[in-house]
Amino acid sequence: MIKGLAIATVWVLDPDRAKEFYTQKLGLEVRTDLTMGEGSMRWLTVGAPDQPDVELTLMVPGPPAMDPESAEMVRKLVAKGAFGVGVLATDDIHGDYRKLKDRGVEFLQEPQERPYGTEALFRDDSGNWFSFTQRREGGLDLERDCA
């Protein structure tokens, strides 16, 4: 049976640039970086140091996952900023927001209070956006507006 999420794919435009962004700016660590087969697909994964069982694979759209036409469409959507990839958690939203901003991370929204916690939004170097969130102690605040 399913035990949990192990790897999630983030479509990127340039794997070397993405590797630098995710490690140098976000502070994730490289878990795997290899080419599978001669001139074939690159398998590049990163993850949070304190969460060894979950990885992000930084993958360029193309074979074998998709045909050339689909890959071009995905590349255009990534570059446009159409994909919200997920939520990255923190326990110090304001301090970590400042650190990431100082490292050159492009934020779309500064930290704001939400029913589920405090959230900021940022883009990676390819255009994907992430929620950067510190969960609210005590669970959801259903009285708080989500404006």
Side-chain angles (χ1 to χ4, degrees):
M1 293 302 296
I2 295 171
K3 293 170 60 177
L5 178 68
I7 300 173
T9 299
V10 177
W11 298 110
V12 299
L13 303 178
D14 180 315
D16 292 319
R17 204 176 71 213
K19 179 180 177 180
E20 182 179 327
F21 178 87
Y22 282 84
T23 59
Q24 300 302 311
K25 292 190 178 183
L26 297 187
L28 302 181
E29 62 185 16
V30 173
R31 301 280 174 75
T32 308
D33 189 357
L34 61 91
T35 300
M36 299 172 83
E38 191 174 316
S40 198
M41 181 184 83
R42 183 171 179 186
W43 186 251
L44 171 59
T45 68
V46 297
D50 293 336
Q51 195 176 25
D53 56 338
V54 177
E55 299 175 74
L56 299 176
T57 180
L58 307 177
M59 189 165 299
V60 176
M66 61 185 70
D67 62 83
E69 181 182 351
S70 297
E72 181 59 25
M73 290 180 356
V74 170
R75 280 192 295 275
K76 285 181 181 178
L77 288 169
V78 168
K80 186 177 181 177
F83 292 124
V85 177
V87 178
L88 297 177
T90 180
D91 57 4
D92 181 11
I93 186 72
H94 295 287
D96 290 340
Y97 166 80
R98 284 189 299 277
K99 286 177 194 170
L100 294 179
K101 199 166 169 92
D102 288 346
R103 292 179 188 167
V105 174
E106 174 193 355
F107 277 86
L108 305 172
Q109 171 195 293
E110 62 187 37
Q112 295 184 9
E113 296 300 319
R114 302 282 187 228
Y116 44 84
T118 308
E119 174 188 56
L121 300 176
F122 71 85
R123 284 197 197 283
D124 72 6
D125 65 306
S126 292
N128 299 298
W129 61 271
F130 285 85
S131 168
F132 186 51
T133 301
Q134 180 176 345
R135 287 186 185 214
R136 184 180 176 282
E137 287 186 31
L140 287 173
D141 178 359
L142 299 176
E143 301 298 316
R144 180 173 289 283
D145 188 21
C146 204

mmCIF file of all heavy atoms in Angstrom, residues 61-109:
data_model
loop_
_atom_site.group_PDB
_atom_site.id
_atom_site.type_symbol
_atom_site.label_atom_id
_atom_site.label_comp_id
_atom_site.label_asym_id
_atom_site.label_seq_id
_atom_site.Cartn_x
_atom_site.Cartn_y
_atom_site.Cartn_z
ATOM 1 N N PRO A 61 11.349 19.410 -19.251
ATOM 2 C CA PRO A 61 10.296 18.757 -20.038
ATOM 3 C C PRO A 61 10.862 18.156 -21.325
ATOM 4 O O PRO A 61 11.617 18.804 -22.041
ATOM 5 C CB PRO A 61 9.339 19.903 -20.365
ATOM 6 C CG PRO A 61 9.619 20.953 -19.355
ATOM 7 C CD PRO A 61 11.068 20.826 -19.019
ATOM 8 N N GLY A 62 10.515 16.916 -21.585
ATOM 9 C CA GLY A 62 10.976 16.239 -22.794
ATOM 10 C C GLY A 62 10.953 14.734 -22.609
ATOM 11 O O GLY A 62 10.440 14.232 -21.616
ATOM 12 N N PRO A 63 11.519 14.027 -23.585
ATOM 13 C CA PRO A 63 11.530 12.572 -23.517
ATOM 14 C C PRO A 63 12.315 12.100 -22.283
ATOM 15 O O PRO A 63 13.222 12.798 -21.856
ATOM 16 C CB PRO A 63 12.245 12.137 -24.793
ATOM 17 C CG PRO A 63 12.382 13.346 -25.635
ATOM 18 C CD PRO A 63 12.172 14.538 -24.764
ATOM 19 N N PRO A 64 12.028 10.985 -21.713
ATOM 20 C CA PRO A 64 10.985 10.046 -22.122
ATOM 21 C C PRO A 64 9.609 10.370 -21.534
ATOM 22 O O PRO A 64 8.644 9.695 -21.832
ATOM 23 C CB PRO A 64 11.501 8.711 -21.571
ATOM 24 C CG PRO A 64 12.206 9.091 -20.309
ATOM 25 C CD PRO A 64 12.838 10.435 -20.602
ATOM 26 N N ALA A 65 9.515 11.402 -20.700
ATOM 27 C CA ALA A 65 8.249 11.710 -20.035
ATOM 28 C C ALA A 65 7.190 12.274 -20.979
ATOM 29 O O ALA A 65 6.002 12.080 -20.758
ATOM 30 C CB ALA A 65 8.480 12.688 -18.885
ATOM 31 N N MET A 66 7.628 12.969 -22.039
ATOM 32 C CA MET A 66 6.646 13.581 -22.939
ATOM 33 C C MET A 66 7.231 13.799 -24.328
ATOM 34 O O MET A 66 8.446 13.878 -24.494
ATOM 35 C CB MET A 66 6.097 14.884 -22.353
ATOM 36 C CG MET A 66 7.112 15.969 -22.115
ATOM 37 S SD MET A 66 6.452 17.436 -21.287
ATOM 38 C CE MET A 66 6.136 16.834 -19.646
ATOM 39 N N ASP A 67 6.324 13.907 -25.292
ATOM 40 C CA ASP A 67 6.728 14.125 -26.677
ATOM 41 C C ASP A 67 7.199 15.576 -26.857
ATOM 42 O O ASP A 67 6.926 16.432 -26.015
ATOM 43 C CB ASP A 67 5.563 13.802 -27.616
ATOM 44 C CG ASP A 67 4.367 14.711 -27.369
ATOM 45 O OD1 ASP A 67 4.353 15.841 -27.909
ATOM 46 O OD2 ASP A 67 3.450 14.293 -26.633
ATOM 47 N N PRO A 68 7.911 15.879 -27.962
ATOM 48 C CA PRO A 68 8.462 17.222 -28.165
ATOM 49 C C PRO A 68 7.405 18.336 -28.152
ATOM 50 O O PRO A 68 7.661 19.407 -27.599
ATOM 51 C CB PRO A 68 9.151 17.129 -29.527
ATOM 52 C CG PRO A 68 9.522 15.683 -29.648
ATOM 53 C CD PRO A 68 8.404 14.936 -28.984
ATOM 54 N N GLU A 69 6.252 18.098 -28.754
ATOM 55 C CA GLU A 69 5.213 19.136 -28.776
ATOM 56 C C GLU A 69 4.709 19.443 -27.362
ATOM 57 O O GLU A 69 4.572 20.606 -26.975
ATOM 58 C CB GLU A 69 4.045 18.688 -29.661
ATOM 59 C CG GLU A 69 2.937 19.728 -29.752
ATOM 60 C CD GLU A 69 1.753 19.252 -30.586
ATOM 61 O OE1 GLU A 69 1.839 18.193 -31.236
ATOM 62 O OE2 GLU A 69 0.732 19.956 -30.566
ATOM 63 N N SER A 70 4.455 18.411 -26.587
ATOM 64 C CA SER A 70 4.005 18.606 -25.201
ATOM 65 C C SER A 70 5.091 19.281 -24.374
ATOM 66 O O SER A 70 4.805 20.157 -23.549
ATOM 67 C CB SER A 70 3.634 17.267 -24.571
ATOM 68 O OG SER A 70 2.561 16.671 -25.243
ATOM 69 N N ALA A 71 6.344 18.878 -24.579
ATOM 70 C CA ALA A 71 7.463 19.469 -23.846
ATOM 71 C C ALA A 71 7.547 20.968 -24.107
ATOM 72 O O ALA A 71 7.761 21.749 -23.174
ATOM 73 C CB ALA A 71 8.766 18.782 -24.233
ATOM 74 N N GLU A 72 7.373 21.380 -25.343
ATOM 75 C CA GLU A 72 7.423 22.807 -25.674
ATOM 76 C C GLU A 72 6.287 23.564 -24.989
ATOM 77 O O GLU A 72 6.481 24.664 -24.467
ATOM 78 C CB GLU A 72 7.364 23.010 -27.191
ATOM 79 C CG GLU A 72 7.427 24.463 -27.619
ATOM 80 C CD GLU A 72 8.687 25.196 -27.158
ATOM 81 O OE1 GLU A 72 9.725 24.557 -26.919
ATOM 82 O OE2 GLU A 72 8.623 26.440 -27.021
ATOM 83 N N MET A 73 5.099 22.972 -24.951
ATOM 84 C CA MET A 73 3.958 23.606 -24.281
ATOM 85 C C MET A 73 4.237 23.753 -22.785
ATOM 86 O O MET A 73 3.969 24.800 -22.189
ATOM 87 C CB MET A 73 2.677 22.817 -24.534
ATOM 88 C CG MET A 73 2.226 22.932 -25.975
ATOM 89 S SD MET A 73 0.709 22.076 -26.501
ATOM 90 C CE MET A 73 0.131 21.167 -25.144
ATOM 91 N N VAL A 74 4.788 22.711 -22.166
ATOM 92 C CA VAL A 74 5.095 22.768 -20.734
ATOM 93 C C VAL A 74 6.172 23.822 -20.467
ATOM 94 O O VAL A 74 6.062 24.605 -19.519
ATOM 95 C CB VAL A 74 5.508 21.381 -20.192
ATOM 96 C CG1 VAL A 74 6.062 21.486 -18.770
ATOM 97 C CG2 VAL A 74 4.331 20.421 -20.235
ATOM 98 N N ARG A 75 7.213 23.870 -21.303
ATOM 99 C CA ARG A 75 8.269 24.885 -21.127
ATOM 100 C C ARG A 75 7.684 26.295 -21.171
ATOM 101 O O ARG A 75 8.044 27.151 -20.364
ATOM 102 C CB ARG A 75 9.360 24.729 -22.187
ATOM 103 C CG ARG A 75 10.354 23.623 -21.877
ATOM 104 C CD ARG A 75 11.578 23.665 -22.784
ATOM 105 N NE ARG A 75 11.262 23.407 -24.172
ATOM 106 C CZ ARG A 75 11.170 22.191 -24.716
ATOM 107 N NH1 ARG A 75 11.393 21.120 -23.978
ATOM 108 N NH2 ARG A 75 10.873 22.045 -25.984
ATOM 109 N N LYS A 76 6.769 26.541 -22.098
ATOM 110 C CA LYS A 76 6.146 27.864 -22.199
ATOM 111 C C LYS A 76 5.320 28.184 -20.962
ATOM 112 O O LYS A 76 5.340 29.312 -20.463
ATOM 113 C CB LYS A 76 5.279 27.943 -23.457
ATOM 114 C CG LYS A 76 6.073 28.067 -24.732
ATOM 115 C CD LYS A 76 5.173 28.159 -25.945
ATOM 116 C CE LYS A 76 5.992 28.254 -27.214
ATOM 117 N NZ LYS A 76 5.143 28.305 -28.415
ATOM 118 N N LEU A 77 4.589 27.203 -20.456
ATOM 119 C CA LEU A 77 3.778 27.428 -19.256
ATOM 120 C C LEU A 77 4.647 27.650 -18.025
ATOM 121 O O LEU A 77 4.336 28.505 -17.185
ATOM 122 C CB LEU A 77 2.821 26.254 -19.030
ATOM 123 C CG LEU A 77 1.660 26.162 -20.018
ATOM 124 C CD1 LEU A 77 0.934 24.829 -19.869
ATOM 125 C CD2 LEU A 77 0.697 27.325 -19.821
ATOM 126 N N VAL A 78 5.748 26.912 -17.909
ATOM 127 C CA VAL A 78 6.670 27.110 -16.788
ATOM 128 C C VAL A 78 7.232 28.527 -16.844
ATOM 129 O O VAL A 78 7.201 29.267 -15.857
ATOM 130 C CB VAL A 78 7.815 26.068 -16.800
ATOM 131 C CG1 VAL A 78 8.915 26.456 -15.823
ATOM 132 C CG2 VAL A 78 7.279 24.682 -16.477
ATOM 133 N N ALA A 79 7.747 28.927 -18.004
ATOM 134 C CA ALA A 79 8.344 30.258 -18.163
ATOM 135 C C ALA A 79 7.330 31.367 -17.889
ATOM 136 O O ALA A 79 7.686 32.431 -17.367
ATOM 137 C CB ALA A 79 8.927 30.408 -19.569
ATOM 138 N N LYS A 80 6.078 31.106 -18.203
ATOM 139 C CA LYS A 80 5.006 32.082 -17.980
ATOM 140 C C LYS A 80 4.651 32.208 -16.499
ATOM 141 O O LYS A 80 4.037 33.175 -16.080
ATOM 142 C CB LYS A 80 3.768 31.653 -18.775
ATOM 143 C CG LYS A 80 2.641 32.618 -18.755
ATOM 144 C CD LYS A 80 1.506 32.117 -19.635
ATOM 145 C CE LYS A 80 0.366 33.115 -19.646
ATOM 146 N NZ LYS A 80 -0.711 32.691 -20.537
ATOM 147 N N GLY A 81 5.035 31.228 -15.702
ATOM 148 C CA GLY A 81 4.703 31.250 -14.279
ATOM 149 C C GLY A 81 3.341 30.658 -13.988
ATOM 150 O O GLY A 81 2.689 31.026 -13.012
ATOM 151 N N ALA A 82 2.895 29.729 -14.824
ATOM 152 C CA ALA A 82 1.554 29.169 -14.696
ATOM 153 C C ALA A 82 1.447 28.058 -13.656
ATOM 154 O O ALA A 82 0.342 27.677 -13.284
ATOM 155 C CB ALA A 82 1.086 28.632 -16.052
ATOM 156 N N PHE A 83 2.584 27.517 -13.178
ATOM 157 C CA PHE A 83 2.523 26.380 -12.266
ATOM 158 C C PHE A 83 2.829 26.765 -10.825
ATOM 159 O O PHE A 83 3.884 27.306 -10.534
ATOM 160 C CB PHE A 83 3.515 25.286 -12.690
ATOM 161 C CG PHE A 83 3.159 24.619 -13.976
ATOM 162 C CD1 PHE A 83 4.057 24.584 -15.023
ATOM 163 C CD2 PHE A 83 1.919 24.014 -14.150
ATOM 164 C CE1 PHE A 83 3.732 23.963 -16.225
ATOM 165 C CE2 PHE A 83 1.585 23.393 -15.344
ATOM 166 C CZ PHE A 83 2.490 23.371 -16.385
ATOM 167 N N GLY A 84 1.890 26.440 -9.950
ATOM 168 C CA GLY A 84 2.110 26.493 -8.519
ATOM 169 C C GLY A 84 2.531 25.100 -8.095
ATOM 170 O O GLY A 84 1.762 24.155 -8.205
ATOM 171 N N VAL A 85 3.756 24.937 -7.665
ATOM 172 C CA VAL A 85 4.327 23.617 -7.457
ATOM 173 C C VAL A 85 3.931 23.011 -6.118
ATOM 174 O O VAL A 85 3.669 21.821 -6.029
ATOM 175 C CB VAL A 85 5.861 23.679 -7.595
ATOM 176 C CG1 VAL A 85 6.484 22.334 -7.323
ATOM 177 C CG2 VAL A 85 6.230 24.168 -8.992
ATOM 178 N N GLY A 86 3.880 23.795 -5.067
ATOM 179 C CA GLY A 86 3.540 23.235 -3.763
ATOM 180 C C GLY A 86 3.815 24.215 -2.647
ATOM 181 O O GLY A 86 4.011 25.410 -2.869
ATOM 182 N N VAL A 87 3.829 23.678 -1.437
ATOM 183 C CA VAL A 87 4.037 24.466 -0.232
ATOM 184 C C VAL A 87 5.338 24.021 0.423
ATOM 185 O O VAL A 87 5.530 22.831 0.670
ATOM 186 C CB VAL A 87 2.862 24.275 0.757
ATOM 187 C CG1 VAL A 87 3.100 25.067 2.032
ATOM 188 C CG2 VAL A 87 1.540 24.660 0.111
ATOM 189 N N LEU A 88 6.216 24.958 0.681
ATOM 190 C CA LEU A 88 7.438 24.682 1.434
ATOM 191 C C LEU A 88 7.242 25.256 2.834
ATOM 192 O O LEU A 88 6.839 26.412 2.995
ATOM 193 C CB LEU A 88 8.652 25.303 0.751
ATOM 194 C CG LEU A 88 8.961 24.739 -0.645
ATOM 195 C CD1 LEU A 88 10.141 25.470 -1.271
ATOM 196 C CD2 LEU A 88 9.231 23.248 -0.581
ATOM 197 N N ALA A 89 7.511 24.441 3.838
ATOM 198 C CA ALA A 89 7.218 24.799 5.220
ATOM 199 C C ALA A 89 8.423 25.415 5.917
ATOM 200 O O ALA A 89 9.570 25.091 5.609
ATOM 201 C CB ALA A 89 6.772 23.555 5.978
ATOM 202 N N THR A 90 8.133 26.286 6.861
ATOM 203 C CA THR A 90 9.146 26.904 7.705
ATOM 204 C C THR A 90 8.577 27.075 9.109
ATOM 205 O O THR A 90 7.353 27.090 9.278
ATOM 206 C CB THR A 90 9.590 28.271 7.150
ATOM 207 O OG1 THR A 90 10.586 28.835 8.013
ATOM 208 C CG2 THR A 90 8.439 29.249 7.037
ATOM 209 N N ASP A 91 9.448 27.235 10.083
ATOM 210 C CA ASP A 91 8.973 27.553 11.428
ATOM 211 C C ASP A 91 9.361 28.973 11.826
ATOM 212 O O ASP A 91 9.178 29.377 12.967
ATOM 213 C CB ASP A 91 9.469 26.534 12.456
ATOM 214 C CG ASP A 91 10.985 26.408 12.496
ATOM 215 O OD1 ASP A 91 11.676 27.162 11.782
ATOM 216 O OD2 ASP A 91 11.474 25.536 13.234
ATOM 217 N N ASP A 92 9.903 29.754 10.861
ATOM 218 C CA ASP A 92 10.265 31.158 11.089
ATOM 219 C C ASP A 92 10.034 31.938 9.798
ATOM 220 O O ASP A 92 10.979 32.316 9.108
ATOM 221 C CB ASP A 92 11.719 31.267 11.540
ATOM 222 C CG ASP A 92 12.143 32.707 11.809
ATOM 223 O OD1 ASP A 92 11.276 33.616 11.856
ATOM 224 O OD2 ASP A 92 13.366 32.939 11.959
ATOM 225 N N ILE A 93 8.784 32.160 9.457
ATOM 226 C CA ILE A 93 8.432 32.772 8.168
ATOM 227 C C ILE A 93 9.090 34.140 7.981
ATOM 228 O O ILE A 93 9.620 34.418 6.921
ATOM 229 C CB ILE A 93 6.898 32.850 7.980
ATOM 230 C CG1 ILE A 93 6.528 33.342 6.573
ATOM 231 C CG2 ILE A 93 6.246 33.746 9.009
ATOM 232 C CD1 ILE A 93 6.760 32.357 5.483
ATOM 233 N N HIS A 94 9.080 34.972 8.994
ATOM 234 C CA HIS A 94 9.609 36.329 8.819
ATOM 235 C C HIS A 94 11.137 36.326 8.689
ATOM 236 O O HIS A 94 11.688 36.992 7.807
ATOM 237 C CB HIS A 94 9.125 37.243 9.947
ATOM 238 C CG HIS A 94 7.638 37.435 9.930
ATOM 239 N ND1 HIS A 94 6.985 38.202 8.986
ATOM 240 C CD2 HIS A 94 6.675 36.905 10.707
ATOM 241 C CE1 HIS A 94 5.684 38.157 9.197
ATOM 242 N NE2 HIS A 94 5.468 37.370 10.238
ATOM 243 N N GLY A 95 11.822 35.559 9.522
ATOM 244 C CA GLY A 95 13.275 35.478 9.437
ATOM 245 C C GLY A 95 13.733 34.810 8.149
ATOM 246 O O GLY A 95 14.656 35.284 7.482
ATOM 247 N N ASP A 96 13.086 33.705 7.784
ATOM 248 C CA ASP A 96 13.475 32.990 6.570
ATOM 249 C C ASP A 96 13.100 33.767 5.312
ATOM 250 O O ASP A 96 13.818 33.715 4.310
ATOM 251 C CB ASP A 96 12.869 31.587 6.554
ATOM 252 C CG ASP A 96 13.513 30.684 7.594
ATOM 253 O OD1 ASP A 96 14.639 30.987 8.044
ATOM 254 O OD2 ASP A 96 12.887 29.671 7.972
ATOM 255 N N TYR A 97 12.008 34.495 5.357
ATOM 256 C CA TYR A 97 11.631 35.373 4.235
ATOM 257 C C TYR A 97 12.757 36.373 3.973
ATOM 258 O O TYR A 97 13.193 36.550 2.835
ATOM 259 C CB TYR A 97 10.313 36.074 4.563
ATOM 260 C CG TYR A 97 9.982 37.240 3.665
ATOM 261 C CD1 TYR A 97 9.427 37.033 2.404
ATOM 262 C CD2 TYR A 97 10.198 38.551 4.078
ATOM 263 C CE1 TYR A 97 9.106 38.099 1.577
ATOM 264 C CE2 TYR A 97 9.885 39.615 3.266
ATOM 265 C CZ TYR A 97 9.343 39.397 2.010
ATOM 266 O OH TYR A 97 9.023 40.450 1.201
ATOM 267 N N ARG A 98 13.254 37.012 5.037
ATOM 268 C CA ARG A 98 14.343 37.994 4.879
ATOM 269 C C ARG A 98 15.609 37.325 4.338
ATOM 270 O O ARG A 98 16.275 37.864 3.452
ATOM 271 C CB ARG A 98 14.629 38.696 6.202
ATOM 272 C CG ARG A 98 13.595 39.758 6.560
ATOM 273 C CD ARG A 98 14.006 40.588 7.770
ATOM 274 N NE ARG A 98 14.168 39.801 8.979
ATOM 275 C CZ ARG A 98 13.173 39.440 9.797
ATOM 276 N NH1 ARG A 98 11.946 39.802 9.531
ATOM 277 N NH2 ARG A 98 13.424 38.735 10.887
ATOM 278 N N LYS A 99 15.959 36.134 4.869
ATOM 279 C CA LYS A 99 17.155 35.425 4.397
ATOM 280 C C LYS A 99 17.054 35.080 2.912
ATOM 281 O O LYS A 99 17.998 35.282 2.147
ATOM 282 C CB LYS A 99 17.358 34.129 5.188
ATOM 283 C CG LYS A 99 17.853 34.317 6.580
ATOM 284 C CD LYS A 99 17.949 32.965 7.281
ATOM 285 C CE LYS A 99 18.107 33.143 8.768
ATOM 286 N NZ LYS A 99 17.955 31.874 9.497
ATOM 287 N N LEU A 100 15.908 34.540 2.511
ATOM 288 C CA LEU A 100 15.736 34.161 1.105
ATOM 289 C C LEU A 100 15.734 35.387 0.200
ATOM 290 O O LEU A 100 16.315 35.368 -0.884
ATOM 291 C CB LEU A 100 14.463 33.343 0.919
ATOM 292 C CG LEU A 100 14.457 31.973 1.596
ATOM 293 C CD1 LEU A 100 13.128 31.271 1.346
ATOM 294 C CD2 LEU A 100 15.617 31.116 1.138
ATOM 295 N N LYS A 101 15.079 36.437 0.648
ATOM 296 C CA LYS A 101 15.061 37.682 -0.135
ATOM 297 C C LYS A 101 16.485 38.219 -0.292
ATOM 298 O O LYS A 101 16.869 38.648 -1.379
ATOM 299 C CB LYS A 101 14.146 38.695 0.549
ATOM 300 C CG LYS A 101 13.695 39.798 -0.350
ATOM 301 C CD LYS A 101 12.540 40.541 0.310
ATOM 302 C CE LYS A 101 12.244 41.787 -0.422
ATOM 303 N NZ LYS A 101 11.249 41.666 -1.446
ATOM 304 N N ASP A 102 17.283 38.168 0.771
ATOM 305 C CA ASP A 102 18.676 38.621 0.712
ATOM 306 C C ASP A 102 19.504 37.759 -0.243
ATOM 307 O O ASP A 102 20.486 38.235 -0.811
ATOM 308 C CB ASP A 102 19.327 38.600 2.099
ATOM 309 C CG ASP A 102 18.816 39.706 3.010
ATOM 310 O OD1 ASP A 102 18.155 40.648 2.513
ATOM 311 O OD2 ASP A 102 19.063 39.613 4.236
ATOM 312 N N ARG A 103 19.125 36.493 -0.418
ATOM 313 C CA ARG A 103 19.827 35.601 -1.346
ATOM 314 C C ARG A 103 19.350 35.776 -2.783
ATOM 315 O O ARG A 103 19.826 35.082 -3.679
ATOM 316 C CB ARG A 103 19.617 34.142 -0.932
ATOM 317 C CG ARG A 103 20.284 33.760 0.357
ATOM 318 C CD ARG A 103 20.000 32.316 0.676
ATOM 319 N NE ARG A 103 20.464 31.973 2.003
ATOM 320 C CZ ARG A 103 20.125 30.861 2.643
ATOM 321 N NH1 ARG A 103 19.328 29.980 2.076
ATOM 322 N NH2 ARG A 103 20.590 30.634 3.848
ATOM 323 N N GLY A 104 18.393 36.668 -3.004
ATOM 324 C CA GLY A 104 17.933 36.956 -4.362
ATOM 325 C C GLY A 104 16.688 36.211 -4.801
ATOM 326 O O GLY A 104 16.345 36.233 -5.988
ATOM 327 N N VAL A 105 15.975 35.569 -3.869
ATOM 328 C CA VAL A 105 14.730 34.891 -4.233
ATOM 329 C C VAL A 105 13.674 35.952 -4.526
ATOM 330 O O VAL A 105 13.511 36.907 -3.770
ATOM 331 C CB VAL A 105 14.270 33.951 -3.099
ATOM 332 C CG1 VAL A 105 12.900 33.363 -3.406
ATOM 333 C CG2 VAL A 105 15.300 32.843 -2.889
ATOM 334 N N GLU A 106 12.973 35.782 -5.651
ATOM 335 C CA GLU A 106 11.936 36.725 -6.075
ATOM 336 C C GLU A 106 10.610 36.371 -5.405
ATOM 337 O O GLU A 106 10.011 35.332 -5.696
ATOM 338 C CB GLU A 106 11.749 36.673 -7.598
ATOM 339 C CG GLU A 106 10.603 37.517 -8.096
ATOM 340 C CD GLU A 106 10.215 37.219 -9.536
ATOM 341 O OE1 GLU A 106 10.888 36.415 -10.197
ATOM 342 O OE2 GLU A 106 9.205 37.792 -9.984
ATOM 343 N N PHE A 107 10.163 37.235 -4.515
ATOM 344 C CA PHE A 107 8.883 37.018 -3.837
ATOM 345 C C PHE A 107 7.769 37.749 -4.572
ATOM 346 O O PHE A 107 7.925 38.895 -4.991
ATOM 347 C CB PHE A 107 8.955 37.472 -2.381
ATOM 348 C CG PHE A 107 9.561 36.431 -1.484
ATOM 349 C CD1 PHE A 107 10.929 36.364 -1.325
ATOM 350 C CD2 PHE A 107 8.767 35.508 -0.839
ATOM 351 C CE1 PHE A 107 11.500 35.388 -0.522
ATOM 352 C CE2 PHE A 107 9.320 34.522 -0.032
ATOM 353 C CZ PHE A 107 10.694 34.466 0.123
ATOM 354 N N LEU A 108 6.654 37.072 -4.721
ATOM 355 C CA LEU A 108 5.455 37.648 -5.330
ATOM 356 C C LEU A 108 4.556 38.262 -4.277
ATOM 357 O O LEU A 108 3.723 39.111 -4.577
ATOM 358 C CB LEU A 108 4.673 36.556 -6.079
ATOM 359 C CG LEU A 108 5.457 35.781 -7.129
ATOM 360 C CD1 LEU A 108 4.629 34.616 -7.646
ATOM 361 C CD2 LEU A 108 5.849 36.713 -8.260
ATOM 362 N N GLN A 109 4.714 37.783 -3.044
ATOM 363 C CA GLN A 109 3.898 38.267 -1.934
ATOM 364 C C GLN A 109 4.709 38.154 -0.655
ATOM 365 O O GLN A 109 5.313 37.123 -0.383
ATOM 366 C CB GLN A 109 2.637 37.409 -1.820
ATOM 367 C CG GLN A 109 1.806 37.661 -0.589
ATOM 368 C CD GLN A 109 0.809 36.539 -0.371
ATOM 369 O OE1 GLN A 109 -0.099 36.376 -1.152
ATOM 370 N NE2 GLN A 109 1.012 35.754 0.683
#
